[in-house]
Amino acid sequence: KCTNLLNESAKAKEITIYQKVGHETRVTSDVQILETIVRNLISNSIKFTRHGGNIEIDANIHDNNSLIVSISDNGIGMSPDIQSKLFSLSGKINRKGTEGERSSGLGLLLCKELVEIQGGRIWADSEEGKGSKFYFTIKC
């Protein structure tokens, strides 16, 4: 559902989105909260991925009681300085996307809050020039 909503944005930049989430993957969670988190993370990946790039969505059961969701891209990545400010109100990030898209970092703060409400956590791995991978966990 989330990829369908963002499909036009991805198509405009010729970005391919791969979904590796099995149909048998089930969690007990607030659907609207989960969709908001996933939609924000995919939207960010589209924003910071160049024309013709790729985004991959994956989800795996971890320790039989939580699901780890990852959204990765081969976009512009982030410096360690930017990464250290991602989920903090004190670290203001006003970075433009690959085609001048606006970004304030507030979407990631919202994601953090929503993930924590669900009893999970969120983090990112990134390398400048090579892309980013965002992860979050939620209880099954």
Side-chain angles (χ1 to χ4, degrees):
K1 185 175 177 180
C2 294
T3 56
N4 288 340
L5 289 171
L6 297 168
N7 203 28
E8 289 304 313
S9 297
K11 277 185 181 179
K13 291 176 81 172
E14 299 177 348
I15 294 171
T16 304
I17 300 176
Y18 298 97
Q19 295 182 62
K20 295 173 64 178
V21 181
H23 292 287
E24 69 284 350
T25 305
R26 301 273 186 251
V27 294
T28 304
S29 178
D30 183 300
V31 174
Q32 290 179 323
I33 288 177
L34 187 57
E35 286 176 354
T36 299
I37 296 164
V38 171
R39 195 171 48 246
N40 260 300
L41 295 175
I42 294 171
S43 179
N44 279 352
S45 284
I46 293 169
K47 189 182 302 180
F48 294 106
T49 297
R50 292 180 192 89
H51 240 72
N54 299 306
I55 296 169
E56 186 173 288
I57 304 161
D58 198 3
N60 294 291
I61 300 293
H62 179 70
D63 293 337
N64 291 324
N65 65 354
S66 66
L67 182 75
I68 298 179
V69 178
S70 65
I71 298 171
S72 59
D73 61 60
N74 63 348
I76 60 175
M78 296 175 279
S79 68
D81 182 54
I82 291 173
Q83 289 180 65
S84 71
K85 298 175 184 174
L86 283 179
F87 303 105
S88 167
L89 272 174
S90 61
K92 190 156 175 116
I93 304 169
N94 287 321
R95 186 177 188 205
K96 292 197 184 279
T98 59
E99 294 190 359
E101 302 98 329
R102 294 175 57 190
S103 176
S104 65
L106 293 176
L108 289 177
L109 288 173
L110 173 64
C111 287
K112 180 180 187 293
E113 185 72 23
L114 294 175
V115 165
E116 290 175 353
I117 286 170
Q118 298 291 306
R121 67 183 192 101
I122 187 168
W123 70 99
D125 289 327
S126 184
E127 188 174 337
E128 214 165 357
K130 295 193 176 182
S132 300
K133 189 168 190 173
F134 283 81
Y135 303 86
F136 69 92
T137 61
I138 56 171
K139 304 249 186 248
C140 291

